[in-house]
Amino acid sequence: LRVLDLDGSWTWDEDEIASKTQVTDNLAGILEAKLRMLPEMATSILQIASFIGHDFTVDVLTTIVHEEQDMIQTEYTFDKHSRETIEARIHRVLKIALAEGFLEKDPHIDDMYLFSHDKIQMCLYKDLIPDPTERALLHQRIGTVLWGSIKEKKYVSNPNNDYLIFLAVDNLNQAKHL
């Protein structure tokens, strides 16, 4: 896209734009292939993280996985009563995702992780779970778990609780058409 100096009008090269769009599509394909090479448990946990959003805390991810362990489609089984076991496994997955470049740690918030690129989050969110109804059901389950977590903590206004309320409502809104 270029501005012509003489009259201020815009001009563009459609072929050049199309070639750059193709690179973006190729990037998504490469990311999807690389994500599919991860262990099944890692992919499942990262998919749940992608539903939380671009950034997420270990505590929120652990809460969701602990309460809804059947969402983890994997050969590994979790001890239904051990949040610590689940949190340890999540930390191992996060370490792998950091090493592979899928995630970054937030430099300002100790427990916060970010997807290193929006294409990574979208690949986990949309491409690996292509059915919109299945995605909406997962949003509903995540929103319900988070809402239950808020109610258990006897809500007191603080940034962490505000974050949980936002996540719960956002996930429930994304499932409202069910």
Side-chain angles (χ1 to χ4, degrees):
L1 188 62
R2 298 175 197 91
V3 177
L4 298 177
D5 292 336
L6 300 175
D7 64 358
S9 63
W10 294 90
T11 184
W12 57 89
D13 182 343
E14 289 184 23
D15 293 331
E16 185 177 349
I17 292 170
S19 72
K20 291 184 189 223
T21 303
Q22 188 176 18
V23 168
T24 302
D25 291 342
N26 288 342
L27 174 63
I30 291 168
L31 287 172
E32 185 174 345
K34 194 172 176 184
L35 286 165
R36 288 187 187 279
M37 291 172 42
L38 290 173
E40 190 177 3
M41 180 178 65
T43 304
S44 294
I45 288 172
L46 290 173
Q47 282 176 323
I48 292 170
S50 76
F51 275 72
I52 296 169
H54 176 68
D55 52 26
F56 58 91
T57 64
V58 174
D59 184 54
V60 168
L61 185 57
T62 302
T63 297
I64 294 166
V65 173
H66 183 255
E67 294 299 320
E68 291 291 331
Q69 293 175 38
D70 59 320
M71 284 191 290
I72 306 295
Q73 305 293 320
T74 180
E75 69 216 41
Y76 300 98
T77 57
F78 292 114
D79 175 0
K80 289 276 190 186
H81 304 288
S82 177
R83 182 180 166 93
E84 294 77 24
T85 301
I86 292 168
E87 189 167 352
R89 289 183 180 173
I90 286 173
H91 277 288
R92 282 198 301 267
V93 167
L94 295 176
K95 190 181 282 189
I96 291 168
L98 285 168
E100 292 293 328
F102 296 132
L103 297 176
E104 299 172 0
K105 283 192 66 105
D106 187 309
H108 307 292
I109 304 172
D110 187 39
D111 192 34
M112 183 77 72
Y113 287 81
L114 322 156
F115 284 97
S116 55
H117 195 283
D118 64 332
K119 289 284 185 193
I120 294 168
Q121 181 194 3
M122 288 312 298
C123 184
L124 285 160
Y125 176 81
K126 194 172 186 179
D127 295 345
L128 295 179
I129 304 177
D131 180 24
T133 302
E134 194 176 326
R135 285 194 307 265
L137 286 168
L138 187 53
H139 276 295
Q140 183 180 49
R141 291 171 72 177
I142 289 170
T144 302
V145 166
L146 291 174
W147 193 255
S149 175
I150 293 164
K151 287 171 52 176
E152 283 176 17
K153 292 179 181 179
K154 309 253 189 283
Y155 180 75
V156 175
S157 183
N158 71 44
N160 188 45
N161 286 341
D162 294 345
Y163 172 72
L164 286 176
I165 288 174
F166 173 78
L167 288 177
V169 171
D170 182 51
N171 275 280
L172 291 170
N173 277 340
Q174 293 190 53
K176 67 184 175 192
H177 67 278
L178 291 176

